[in-house]
Amino acid sequence: MASAQMENHSRNDYVQLRLITGRSKMHPAAAVAPSPLGTLPGMRRLGSTSSSRSCKPTDVCVFLKDGSGHEFFLDNALVETAHDLQQRMMESLGMPESATEVFNIWIVSPLLQLQLKPYHIPFKLCRQWPDLLDKFTIATEQQKANDEPVLTFQRNAFFPKSKEKTITDSKTLVRLFEEARYNVLEGNYPCEPEDYEYLAAILAWIQHGTYPARREYGLFKDRLQEYVPLCMCKGGSRWLKNKQGFSNIESRIFRQWEDISKKVKSKADCYRLYLQFCWKLPFYGSVLFTGQIERSNTGIGLLDCPDRPVHIAINRDGVFVMDIIKQELLLGLMYDELSWEYTEPEKNSETCLSCLWLQFDMDQGRRKISHVLQIFSKQSVMMNAMIEACVDELNKQDIQLIHHERTVMDGLLRDHAVSRCFALVGKPKRRVAREAAAPAMSESLPVKEPKTCISNQVDRLCLATFSEEGTLIKTKAKRPFSFAGIFGK
């Protein structure tokens, strides 16, 4: 919708409106994970100055995850709320009222993504975008100057997966499918090669129909990135079997396509089959935050080894740490498996970042140990808020299930819970997120079980390890810290 610039203008006075002139596909350059679109061809920009009291009639565009946009004329954008825009989008798309809780208006850019509450005014937030980038990112001045936020209509991060599985409205399912496809192709859902090939085969059916009687080799040659993530084409340690070249990937997609053609009869079947597979991924529907973690000591002894950039994906089920460069899952923890804490940076220190600390237990032989991972990020406060919100929702659900013996999660670490250098007093209570099972759908399709699973790569993480009594066993951290100082009051 808008992006604020600082060149020759006050930060809060210059507003740049973006109008779409027609576009059917998303540009490949929009592949920055938290970003929806990036700079789109076929768009022109209108610069206008706006006072804080009034706004001239404005054309605003709200984008979908397939790259298309819907344009609306606003008499006064300064009073148009996110709820108002949501209703406009649903009317434009012909979606039922039930979709109100499924989708929300977001403001997203390559550097930051924000889900808006119904009362938020998107236009005002876009004018404040440079200040939000200063507060929540470590981007350079040049990166911030080039960052352009846009409005998107996408899945509500707090919508329960159990409810999503019961949706039967075709238009709602198409929107959810498009968003799931976007996240898969952008590498936001790190999967095993076989899973990517299976999903690519479903897309092949949608694009080309039933598997042909005779294979047309080279069908995917110039369009492979429309079917699988770029990471799968580049090679690397996770993709060794792809080093035989494009033909090897294509042959495996053909085999999956042939198998899928025996199960589906329509595009609607494919949309649901694609979603049913993605619903089985633990990080489905996650919000991506950016951060960095220390690299595990490789024995080389380099003191200036840069931190590893990571995405922290958070949904209603848990927290997942992903390597941005390699697009792979490093750590996945359900809420009944973790404890967490958020700490502010030291005062008067411009180089220090706020931190999110994740603590989880593991069995080591006959004894139990606790690992602690430190995540550095200006977005730690948002991560903490989302974890708290998800846990609160799940706890409310537990209270309603009074016939189960549940207690409120004791996850957020406080001084009474931390003793002797981060050791939890006694055994921490754990909660199990119990969601109502989705009713069986009529004529359900057979869904492949994902090869992707949570396999925590502890050896690749820079962790501090404590005994059950709270004694520090070992630490790989290069930055010294005191848990007593961090968590003590």
Side-chain angles (χ1 to χ4, degrees):
M1 169 187 170
S3 66
Q5 295 186 345
M6 295 183 292
E7 299 176 354
N8 303 322
H9 295 276
S10 167
R11 272 188 164 186
N12 293 326
D13 288 338
Y14 188 89
V15 178
Q16 193 178 69
L17 303 180
R18 307 178 59 180
L19 302 185
I20 190 165
T21 58
R23 190 170 188 279
S24 60
K25 280 193 171 290
M26 187 176 301
H27 193 275
V32 182
S35 162
L37 303 166
T39 302
L40 300 178
M43 297 190 67
R44 60 192 178 91
R45 304 170 185 173
L46 300 179
S48 66
T49 55
S50 302
S51 70
S52 59
R53 297 179 181 178
S54 65
C55 182
K56 295 180 180 180
T58 304
D59 286 316
V60 173
C61 191
V62 181
F63 291 96
L64 298 173
K65 280 300 187 180
D66 65 355
S68 62
H70 289 247
E71 201 172 350
F72 304 103
F73 180 80
L74 308 183
D75 289 329
N76 189 349
L78 288 176
V79 298
E80 190 84 6
T81 65
H83 175 73
D84 296 332
L85 280 177
Q86 179 195 36
Q87 294 301 307
R88 288 176 183 266
M89 280 296 292
M90 289 178 53
E91 181 179 350
S92 177
L93 294 168
M95 302 182 73
E97 188 63 27
S98 59
T100 302
E101 62 175 345
V102 184
F103 298 98
N104 270 90
I105 297 296
W106 292 61
I107 300 181
V108 288
S109 79
L111 297 178
L112 186 63
Q113 59 174 345
L114 299 174
Q115 176 174 316
L116 305 189
K117 294 183 178 180
Y119 58 83
H120 281 146
I121 298 178
F123 190 79
K124 290 183 178 180
L125 288 175
C126 285
R127 293 172 64 181
Q128 299 168 4
W129 200 250
D131 297 322
L132 294 173
L133 294 180
D134 286 341
K135 184 175 182 180
F136 295 118
T137 75
I138 57 172
T140 65
E141 290 301 319
Q142 185 62 44
Q143 289 173 325
K144 287 185 283 189
N146 294 334
D147 195 58
E148 296 187 17
V150 295
L151 292 180
T152 63
F153 182 77
Q154 61 190 75
R155 186 183 184 277
N156 174 10
F158 297 99
F159 185 66
K161 192 192 302 182
S162 60
K163 286 187 177 181
E164 184 173 331
K165 293 178 181 179
T166 67
I167 294 174
T168 57
D169 177 68
S170 59
K171 292 181 179 179
T172 302
L173 289 173
V174 169
R175 299 277 84 82
L176 290 169
F177 157 76
E178 289 172 349
E179 185 164 343
R181 176 183 61 183
Y182 171 84
N183 282 312
V184 169
L185 296 182
E186 293 301 306
N188 297 340
Y189 294 165
C191 295
E192 293 301 314
E194 185 177 334
D195 293 340
Y196 282 141
E197 292 156 8
Y198 174 78
L199 294 173
I202 299 177
L203 297 181
W205 201 107
I206 294 173
Q207 291 290 330
H208 306 286
T210 305
Y211 179 76
R214 187 174 182 179
R215 287 188 181 183
E216 183 183 343
Y217 287 101
L219 180 65
F220 307 111
K221 184 173 182 180
D222 298 324
R223 304 171 58 189
L224 189 59
Q225 292 179 33
E226 295 180 18
Y227 299 90
V228 298
L230 178 62
C231 61
M232 191 171 173
C233 311
K234 294 191 302 184
S237 58
R238 291 188 67 217
W239 319 104
L240 288 177
K241 68 177 183 178
N242 294 338
K243 290 191 174 182
Q244 297 179 21
F246 159 78
S247 60
N248 195 30
I249 303 176
E250 186 180 45
S251 295
R252 295 195 300 273
I253 295 176
F254 271 126
R255 287 196 295 269
Q256 296 273 18
W257 185 7
E258 182 178 15
D259 184 58
I260 287 171
S261 294
K262 301 173 184 177
K263 304 175 183 177
V264 300
K265 299 178 181 179
S266 65
K267 287 187 177 181
D269 286 345
C270 290
Y271 297 149
R272 178 164 287 280
L273 191 64
Y274 199 98
L275 282 170
Q276 285 175 334
F277 183 88
C278 290
W279 288 334
K280 292 177 178 291
L281 300 174
F283 33 72
Y284 174 78
S286 292
V287 178
L288 295 182
F289 301 92
T290 56
Q292 58 198 64
I293 60 176
E294 290 186 286
R295 294 182 184 271
S296 179
N297 189 357
T298 60
I300 301 176
L302 297 178
L303 297 179
D304 58 347
C305 184
D307 287 348
R308 184 195 307 274
V310 293
H311 279 143
I312 302 89
I314 301 175
N315 62 14
R316 285 174 56 99
D317 298 322
V319 181
F320 310 89
V321 181
M322 305 171 178
D323 189 310
I324 291 179
I325 304 300
K326 296 185 177 181
Q327 293 184 335
E328 60 181 323
L329 182 65
L330 298 174
L331 180 68
L333 299 169
M334 301 295 105
Y335 289 124
D336 61 313
E337 299 173 329
L338 69 86
S339 300
W340 83 96
E341 180 61 288
Y342 160 70
T343 56
E344 292 281 359
E346 295 180 5
K347 294 182 179 180
N348 303 322
S349 177
E350 297 181 357
T351 59
C352 289
L353 299 175
S354 56
C355 292
L356 182 73
W357 306 77
L358 301 180
Q359 181 265 339
F360 57 99
D361 296 336
M362 292 186 69
D363 291 325
Q364 189 179 68
R366 295 183 178 180
R367 64 175 181 171
K368 185 178 291 292
I369 60 174
S370 293
H371 289 305
V372 179
L373 176 66
Q374 183 180 16
I375 301 171
F376 304 90
S377 174
K378 279 192 172 184
Q379 297 176 14
S380 295
V381 62
M382 292 193 292
M383 298 182 220
N384 178 61
M386 182 163 185
I387 293 174
E388 285 185 327
C390 290
V391 168
D392 286 344
E393 285 296 319
L394 294 174
N395 286 339
K396 291 176 183 177
Q397 187 175 333
D398 284 346
I399 294 174
Q400 294 173 359
L401 300 175
I402 56 176
H403 58 284
H404 292 290
E405 186 180 354
R406 311 302 317 154
T407 57
V408 175
M409 179 183 177
D410 207 10
L412 187 58
L413 302 176
R414 295 302 179 202
D415 53 338
H416 71 274
V418 183
S419 170
R420 301 171 69 177
C421 293
F422 199 63
L424 296 177
V425 177
K427 185 177 181 180
K429 297 175 183 177
R430 300 298 189 186
R431 70 166 323 283
V432 177
R434 293 173 177 257
E435 291 191 275
M441 301 299 298
S442 60
E443 300 181 5
S444 60
L445 298 168
V447 184
K448 174 181 177 295
E449 287 296 323
K451 294 291 184 181
T452 304
C453 62
I454 297 178
S455 180
N456 294 330
Q457 303 186 45
V458 176
D459 292 341
R460 293 186 57 195
L461 297 172
C462 190
L463 302 170
T465 305
F466 294 83
S467 68
E468 199 169 7
E469 294 75 28
T471 304
L472 177 64
I473 300 175
K474 66 177 179 178
T475 179
K476 298 179 181 179
K478 303 179 184 67
R479 299 179 177 92
F481 55 81
S482 167
F483 285 108
I486 292 174
F487 297 101
K489 297 271 183 161

